[in-house]
């Protein structure tokens, strides 16, 4: 059966002329007459608003797609907020979860019979490089690591995100509704992350998760010391790594204090980002493998008064599970990656289960354009490893590792990540138990709108449509 692609905005007008499967693009509105309010200032002249909030130019312009009420009925529901609900229903209305349980469809609602199927919150990947390491994987698309200085806090991942990376719809087909896109780990401090909704867009601003805080990518261990050590410059040891962090935070603290002076210093993009961390506005997302290095990073955070939101990869997190639970730091980990370098040598499959038992925040992440398509299976592997050691981890527990826990680790847990009334209607309908290798995401809703349907609605980026024969005539078989 041929399937019509969901048109991305950049090709919508063309596609409307060629196929009936995509809506036409409305005519562009006429420009408003020039007024003092909407006239851009001349070069060198800034408005008061621009002076106060220079970063307003990069605010989210995301708007949910229109949708009517939808009742998904007769499903096994994992809410990520409690026990499973058997033969339950969930109502999506006005972009939000309106009701969960045994409910009736309101007038005019689309009813989806999910008998025999499972429903979960949308999957959230807390560690992705989609868009900054886009496909095709060529040098021209390697935009994730600004390895020109050990501290590059001034760079923002969003300024390299290519929304037409064909890996985005592949992640959507795996049930991923949101992700944090990070710079790479070649530097001590690599720059800002951005959290996005996994929706068709022409520009990253149209994908940006409204109100999501920025993250700051930091990296411990082998990567920065190897890259810069091979160049004969600091850091080339773990001692050099720590000295580099501390110098950067000292400078940031002085910069922040100076903002209150009669003549504050001019803008410094790197120090501005670090000052945002010290102010509690930007969350530290710390690539760190070894337990001893995680403890050192906690010491540094105490010295300068900032909070670490999550340790990423964290293959030795199980060794300090009690500390991570006490500190409220998430461990964003793989299910079973280990041994590919020395600092990954002591990884174990039971990492997630031991953290879970200690009461720590467990997140299963991808760090991979392949793994992001199967995060449900990655969580299943970690759950199985825990159960083999007698941990009795239930699907109700493991679903949290790929939904509400990553949402919390990136600062959006109050808006999405669980099927609770009032939260964003980011929902996946699975063909069966999502922790079975045989189950597939059949329908994916983002803010209540059906964005993916395995049977008929499969997004294609404009890049794919440009290179795939007959893509506009119905996509691939």
């Amino acid at each position: 059966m041929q399937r019509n692609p969901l048109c991305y905005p950049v090709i919508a007008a063309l596609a409307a002329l060629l196929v009936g499967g995509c809506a036409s693009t409305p005519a562009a509105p006429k420009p408003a007459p020039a007024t003092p309010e909407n006239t851009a200032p001349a070069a060198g002249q800034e408005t008061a608003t621009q002076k106060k909030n220079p970063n307003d130019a990069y605010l989210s312009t995301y708007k949910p797609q229109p949708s009517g009420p939808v009742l998904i009925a007769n499903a096994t529901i994992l809410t990520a907020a409690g026990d499973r609900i058997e033969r339950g229903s969930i109502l999506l209305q006005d972009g939000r979860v309106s009701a969960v349980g045994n409910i009736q469809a309101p007038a005019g609602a689309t009813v989806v019979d999910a008998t025999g199927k499972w429903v979960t919150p949308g999957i959230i990947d807390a560690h992705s490089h989609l868009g900054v390491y886009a496909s095709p994987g060529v040098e021209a698309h390697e935009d994730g690591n600004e390895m020109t200085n050990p501290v590059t806090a001034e760079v923002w991942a969003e300024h390299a995100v290519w929304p037409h990376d064909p890996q985005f719809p592949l992640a959507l087909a795996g049930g991923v509704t949101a992700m944090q896109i990070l710079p790479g780990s070649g530097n001590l401090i690599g720059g800002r992350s951005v959290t996005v909704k996994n929706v068709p867009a022409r520009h990253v601003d149209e994908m940006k998760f409204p109100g999501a805080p920025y993250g700051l990518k930091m990296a411990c261990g082998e990567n920065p010391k190897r890259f810069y050590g091979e160049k004969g410059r600091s850091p080339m040891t773990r001692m050099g790594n720590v000295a580099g962090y501390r110098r950067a935070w000292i400078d940031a603290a002085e910069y922040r204090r100076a903002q209150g002076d009669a003549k504050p210093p001019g803008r410094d993009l790197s120090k501005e980002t670090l000052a945002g961390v010290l102010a509690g506005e930007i969350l530290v997302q710390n690539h760190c493998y070894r337990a001893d290095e995680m403890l050192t990073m906690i010491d540094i955070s105490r010295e300068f008064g900032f909070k670490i939101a999550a340790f990423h990869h964290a293959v030795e997190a199980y060794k300090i599970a009690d500390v991570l639970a006490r500190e409220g730091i998430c461990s964003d980990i793989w299910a079973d990656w280990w041994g590919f370098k020395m600092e990954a040598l002591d990884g174990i499959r039971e990492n997630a289960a031991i953290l879970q038992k200690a009461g720590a925040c467990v997140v299963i992440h991808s760090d991979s354009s392949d793994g992001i398509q199967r995060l449900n299976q990655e969580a299943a592997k970690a759950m199985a490893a825990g159960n083999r050691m007698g941990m009795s981890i239930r699907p109700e527990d493991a679903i949290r590792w790929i939904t509400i826990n990553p949402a919390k680790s990136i600062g959006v847990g109050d808006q999405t990540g669980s099927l609770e009334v009032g939260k964003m209607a980011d929902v996946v309908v699975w063909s069966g138990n999502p922790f079975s290798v045989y189950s597939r995401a059949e329908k994916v809703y983002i803010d209540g709108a059906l964005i993916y349907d395995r049977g008929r609605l499969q997004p294609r980026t404009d890049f794919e449509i440009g290179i795939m024969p007959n893509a506009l005539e119905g996509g691939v078989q």
Side-chain angles (χ1 to χ4, degrees):
M1 180 181 70
Q2 288 188 326
R3 299 168 180 143
N4 286 337
L6 174 67
C7 291
Y8 271 54
V10 74
I11 52 87
L14 172 62
L17 297 174
L18 300 179
V19 279
C22 298
S24 61
T25 302
K30 295 180 180 180
T35 67
E37 288 77 19
N38 66 17
T39 304
Q45 296 180 344
E46 294 179 314
T47 67
T49 300
Q50 287 172 319
K51 288 181 179 178
K52 185 176 181 181
N53 297 305
N55 293 332
D56 280 358
Y58 306 102
L59 293 177
S60 169
T61 59
Y62 167 76
K63 293 181 180 179
Q65 294 191 17
S67 61
V70 175
L71 182 76
I72 304 170
N74 306 316
T76 298
I77 302 175
L78 298 177
T79 66
D83 292 333
R84 78 175 72 180
I85 301 171
E86 299 288 358
R87 293 192 62 79
S89 300
I90 179 169
L91 178 63
L92 317 182
Q93 199 164 21
D94 298 323
R96 300 280 170 173
V97 175
S98 180
V100 183
N102 297 314
I103 51 181
Q104 299 297 316
T110 298
V111 178
V112 177
D113 183 5
T115 301
K117 305 182 190 302
W118 290 50
V119 171
T120 71
I123 292 176
I124 299 171
D125 190 358
H127 190 118
S128 174
H129 299 296
L130 298 195
V132 296
Y133 282 108
S135 180
V138 295
E139 185 176 358
H141 283 167
E142 293 178 358
D143 290 314
N145 256 325
E146 181 64 27
M147 292 187 292
T148 52
N149 192 56
V151 175
T152 55
E154 67 273 14
V155 303
W156 298 15
E158 68 195 69
H159 296 150
V161 171
W162 185 38
H164 310 301
D165 181 352
Q167 296 169 139
F168 284 118
L170 293 177
L172 184 67
V176 175
T177 55
M179 69 193 77
Q180 176 178 225
I181 299 173
L182 295 145
S185 56
N187 293 338
L188 300 175
I189 300 176
R192 295 196 194 196
S193 69
V194 62
T195 295
V196 300
K197 291 269 195 172
N198 193 10
V199 294
R202 293 179 297 179
H203 188 263
V204 68
D205 288 353
E206 298 168 355
M207 303 174 73
K208 286 177 69 172
F209 195 113
Y214 283 108
L216 176 71
K217 177 65 175 289
M218 296 184 65
C220 299
E222 292 183 24
N223 286 11
K225 84 185 190 77
R226 180 180 67 246
F227 181 80
Y228 290 100
E230 288 174 353
K231 295 180 177 294
R233 59 173 297 191
S234 181
M236 66 170 57
T237 65
R238 283 178 167 84
M239 295 185 296
N241 283 355
V242 173
Y245 307 135
R246 296 178 77 200
R247 278 194 299 269
W249 290 116
I250 288 169
D251 290 346
E254 292 177 351
Y255 177 82
R256 187 179 178 216
R257 283 193 297 268
Q259 296 304 307
D261 292 349
K263 292 185 178 181
R267 289 185 72 191
D268 182 307
L269 293 179
S270 181
K271 294 174 184 175
E272 189 174 275
T273 290
L274 297 180
V277 173
L278 297 178
E281 299 165 356
I282 298 174
L283 306 180
V284 171
Q285 309 288 343
N286 199 160
H287 161 119
C288 212
Y289 286 68
R290 286 183 2 188
D292 60 307
E293 290 191 275
M294 290 184 243
L295 294 174
T296 296
M297 294 307 300
I298 292 172
D299 287 345
I300 293 170
S301 73
R302 289 173 178 159
E303 179 182 2
F304 294 99
F306 62 85
K307 177 78 167 61
I308 297 170
F311 285 120
H312 291 240
H313 313 330
V315 298
E316 293 186 10
Y318 65 95
K319 297 182 179 181
I320 55 168
D322 58 328
V323 175
L324 297 172
R326 184 176 66 245
E327 296 290 330
I329 299 174
C330 291
S331 297
D332 294 8
I333 62 176
W334 296 295
D336 55 5
W337 284 22
W338 73 282
F340 47 91
K341 52 182 174 177
M342 280 302 302
E343 63 186 4
L345 205 62
D346 221 3
I348 62 172
R349 291 184 176 92
E350 297 80 9
N351 196 8
I354 293 172
L355 289 162
Q356 173 87 10
K357 183 178 181 180
C361 171
V362 182
V363 174
I364 302 296
H365 69 7
S366 79
D367 192 26
S368 162
S369 58
D370 294 323
I372 195 173
Q373 300 173 41
R374 302 169 184 85
L375 276 171
N376 59 313
Q377 295 178 24
E378 294 300 305
K381 289 191 291 184
M383 177 173 63
N387 288 337
R388 284 194 296 270
M389 65 181 294
M391 298 289 288
S392 299
I393 298 171
R394 308 168 301 163
E396 293 93 315
D397 305 315
I399 194 63
R400 297 177 64 87
W401 299 348
I402 52 175
T403 57
I404 188 60
N405 287 1
K408 290 177 178 177
S409 80
I410 62 179
V412 296
D414 59 335
Q415 300 182 66
T416 191
S418 60
L419 301 181
E420 298 177 89
V421 173
K423 284 196 170 183
M424 294 172 170
D426 299 338
V427 180
V428 183
V429 179
W430 301 87
S431 60
N433 185 332
F435 299 109
S436 167
V437 71
Y438 300 107
S439 295
R440 299 288 183 270
E442 290 193 343
K443 298 180 188 296
V444 181
Y445 297 84
I446 298 180
D447 288 307
L450 182 64
I451 304 297
Y452 174 88
D453 186 329
R454 184 168 291 273
R456 64 181 182 87
L457 188 67
Q458 299 192 22
R460 300 283 184 262
T461 66
D462 70 323
F463 177 79
E464 291 176 281
I465 289 174
I467 65 172
M468 293 169 61
N470 302 319
L472 286 176
E473 283 72 29
V476 295
Q477 297 289 332

